[in-house]
Amino acid sequence: MRLHLVDGTYELYRAHFSPRPGHSAPDGRDVKATVGLVSSMLALLHDDAEAVTHVALAFDNPIRSFRNALFAGYKSDEGVPPELHAQFDLAEDAMRALGLTVWSMKDFEADDALATASARWAGQVEQVRLLTPDKDLGQCVRGRQVVQVDRKQQKELDEDAVRAKLGVPPASVPDLLALVGDDADGIPGLPGFGEKGASALLCAYGHLDAIPPDAASWSVRPRGAEKLAATLREHREDALLYRRLATLVTDAPLAESLEDLAWAGVPRARYLALCDSLGLTTLKTRPKRWAADAP
């Protein structure tokens, strides 16, 4: 039993900006992103190496979350192409037509749903696989029990790989993002902090709170230590806020049980109706496993 947790928002964006040909539904709507998402998820479900048994996708719908109330600069739906924004609901419906569990996050984010599901069920499955390249999900990785998978780059990160890539253990990832920033989420970080200096401090002290205010007390000496210490003293409250923004929620409201996430195959009638509504022909025959009770 493996639990695949998919960042649906990332996959939808990836499909929209991919070089695949555009596609319009019979009613003229641009549905390229949704069609690409359907194709991508079918590939995942058919991948013998992934051996999908239990799976769910989470979407940011809308993109704004409780974090926007904490920090005005946090990511929002500004700049999202209108033709992509118009497919958010459609993409979720398309995933349900594949027989997949969908978490449409309103006040929380898709990443919070993935983090919650990982924390809730990691001990009940052989492995949790987090399908997203987002750095903030690195905080959820645990040994080989919970791993992060970048499908585009075909890379898998276990706990050792997260340490090698980011320079810190998973538990320190929110602290790292607080110091160096995260452009994808609109977290600015602190001026002067690069990954080398930040990771050196966090490897020595674990978390922001434990870093001594005076550089003379540091057990490591990153370049510009005195200036970094002064910046951290001056902007400590900002850093703590940024860490809160980067820390994923592990108790988001998910109604389903683990059994509800078992994938039983594609419901034929619903899937074929989706294909007709999107003007698809070749994808009609792509599913290799139909739900047993489907007509």
Side-chain angles (χ1 to χ4, degrees):
M1 184 188 296
R2 308 176 94 187
L3 176 56
H4 285 73
L5 300 172
V6 183
D7 183 344
T9 303
Y10 165 75
E11 290 286 350
L12 187 65
Y13 273 64
R14 184 162 76 101
H16 177 76
F17 291 106
S18 73
R20 66 181 295 118
H23 185 86
S24 297
D27 60 7
R29 290 175 298 163
D30 183 334
V31 293
K32 172 189 174 182
T34 302
V35 173
L37 178 62
V38 170
S39 180
S40 177
M41 289 302 101
L42 283 172
L44 172 67
L45 295 170
H46 296 158
D47 190 335
D48 291 337
E50 287 295 341
V52 174
T53 62
H54 294 66
V55 58
L57 296 94
F59 290 88
D60 296 310
N61 189 7
I63 291 178
R64 296 181 67 87
S65 70
F66 75 90
R67 292 177 176 87
N68 293 93
L70 298 175
F71 181 61
Y74 197 70
K75 69 177 180 181
S76 68
D77 54 4
E78 291 183 14
V80 178
E83 66 276 15
L84 174 58
H85 200 283
Q87 295 178 67
F88 282 10
D89 290 341
L90 175 62
E92 292 181 1
D93 289 340
M95 294 300 94
R96 295 185 182 101
L98 289 177
L100 300 173
T101 295
V102 172
W103 293 317
S104 183
M105 307 307 290
K106 305 297 183 185
D107 298 317
F108 296 92
E109 296 182 41
D111 288 353
D112 295 318
L114 304 188
T116 296
S118 173
R120 184 178 297 177
W121 294 310
Q124 301 178 46
V125 297
E126 174 189 340
Q127 187 181 66
V128 175
R129 297 176 68 77
L130 300 164
L131 274 55
T132 174
D134 287 358
K135 288 183 290 187
D136 52 358
L137 264 297
Q139 66 192 269
C140 301
V141 173
R142 300 289 182 270
R144 292 283 309 157
Q145 183 69 26
V146 180
V147 300
Q148 188 174 1
V149 179
D150 183 340
R151 297 179 70 206
K152 184 177 180 180
Q153 299 294 329
Q154 296 185 324
K155 291 182 179 179
E156 178 179 309
L157 300 178
D158 59 12
E159 188 164 339
D160 288 341
V162 168
R163 288 175 181 266
K165 179 181 179 181
L166 300 180
V168 297
S172 298
V173 168
D175 301 84
L176 177 69
L177 298 179
L179 291 176
V180 304
D182 186 355
D183 291 340
D185 286 340
I187 299 175
L190 299 190
F193 273 90
E195 288 193 3
K196 274 192 174 182
S199 62
L201 284 169
L202 292 173
C203 280
Y205 296 106
H207 299 289
L208 291 170
D209 322 67
I211 301 175
D214 188 348
S217 303
W218 289 359
S219 59
V220 292
R221 296 292 296 180
R223 178 178 296 182
E226 296 293 343
K227 189 173 182 179
L228 293 180
T231 297
L232 194 54
R233 287 194 302 271
E234 181 181 354
H235 297 284
R236 182 171 290 270
E237 291 305 313
D238 290 335
L240 294 175
L241 170 60
Y242 300 157
R243 182 176 67 180
R244 183 178 177 189
L245 297 175
T247 300
L248 298 180
V249 172
T250 56
D251 60 354
L254 304 180
E256 291 79 6
S257 67
L258 180 59
E259 292 72 24
D260 293 330
L261 274 55
W263 185 63
V266 177
R268 188 188 301 268
R270 185 170 183 179
Y271 176 74
L272 294 181
L274 170 75
C275 289
D276 288 339
S277 70
L278 298 181
L280 303 175
T281 53
T282 56
L283 278 181
K284 282 187 173 183
T285 59
R286 277 277 301 278
K288 296 180 181 179
R289 178 182 174 189
W290 299 102
D293 57 349

